[in-house]
Amino acid sequence: MEAHSDWYHRITREIGPYRDTLSRKDLKKYKIDLLLRITGRVDTFSNTCGECQLFQQEITQIAQDLGNLVQLSDRERRKSYFRTINNIVKHLQKEHKLVKKGYYLGMWIGIGMAIGGGLTAALGTPPIGPGIGLALGVAIGSYMEKRARDEGRII
């Protein structure tokens, strides 16, 4: 288990009450769990990454404004919130080689279904091809997902 900084603990204390008071729908809508996960990742990389240090400031601002964001229906503020989260996730994926949960599974299911379509065309047996492709995609995707989780590369 990694030791987190005081900044991380302060942010989780600010965001924590929203996890208890918001409905499940709002928790999902505002991506509170993702926000907490990226907070931990940014904290981990902030010692060596200047951009992550800047993201710390943005996350601090988000945590302070979260109450207003949830209560007010300010469309521009909400767009800015989601844009910031997406920018942080893109940075973590590109620069630190992290992936979102379910990334490999979704990708390989799609590839497996394409392979299954090819098998159907080649063999001429419609029910078998997609089944084989789906099974292949789930197997490879699950393996890749587990490997990424074991390596600590999941956001």
Side-chain angles (χ1 to χ4, degrees):
M1 185 103 195
E2 298 176 21
H4 289 289
S5 69
D6 291 336
W7 171 81
Y8 172 80
H9 293 294
R10 188 176 68 248
I11 296 299
T12 55
R13 278 193 306 270
E14 285 184 36
I15 296 173
Y18 296 107
R19 292 182 78 186
D20 300 332
T21 58
L22 291 176
S23 67
R24 252 190 162 150
K25 182 180 174 184
D26 284 339
L27 285 173
K28 192 172 183 176
K29 177 181 177 181
Y30 292 105
K31 301 178 180 183
I32 301 299
D33 286 336
L34 177 61
L35 177 60
L36 288 169
R37 288 194 311 267
I38 64 174
T39 299
R41 291 306 190 147
V42 166
D43 182 48
T44 302
F45 292 117
S46 65
N47 293 334
T48 58
C49 177
E51 207 164 339
C52 285
Q53 290 173 1
L54 295 174
F55 286 139
Q56 278 186 323
Q57 296 170 0
E58 291 184 32
I59 291 172
T60 300
Q61 189 64 43
I62 284 174
Q64 292 169 351
D65 292 344
L66 196 56
N68 293 334
L69 180 72
V70 171
Q71 291 176 353
L72 303 175
S73 59
D74 185 359
R75 187 180 189 110
E76 287 303 314
R77 195 178 267 178
R78 232 179 305 148
K79 283 171 106 175
S80 174
Y81 170 78
F82 291 121
R83 196 176 315 119
T84 301
I85 287 180
N86 289 336
N87 287 340
I88 296 170
V89 169
K90 285 178 187 175
H91 169 76
L92 291 173
Q93 288 174 329
K94 184 178 178 185
E95 299 299 324
H96 302 292
K97 309 295 187 240
L98 301 180
V99 295
K100 285 175 119 177
K101 186 177 182 181
Y103 171 78
Y104 288 116
L105 192 59
M107 180 179 69
W108 278 99
I109 285 175
I111 292 170
M113 291 304 288
I115 291 170
L119 285 174
T120 296
L123 300 175
T125 53
I128 295 175
I132 292 172
L134 181 63
L136 183 66
V138 168
I140 294 172
S142 296
Y143 169 75
M144 296 287 288
E145 196 81 22
K146 183 184 179 315
R147 194 169 92 190
R149 191 175 342 111
D150 291 346
E151 293 172 358
R153 294 186 302 116
I154 302 285
I155 296 176

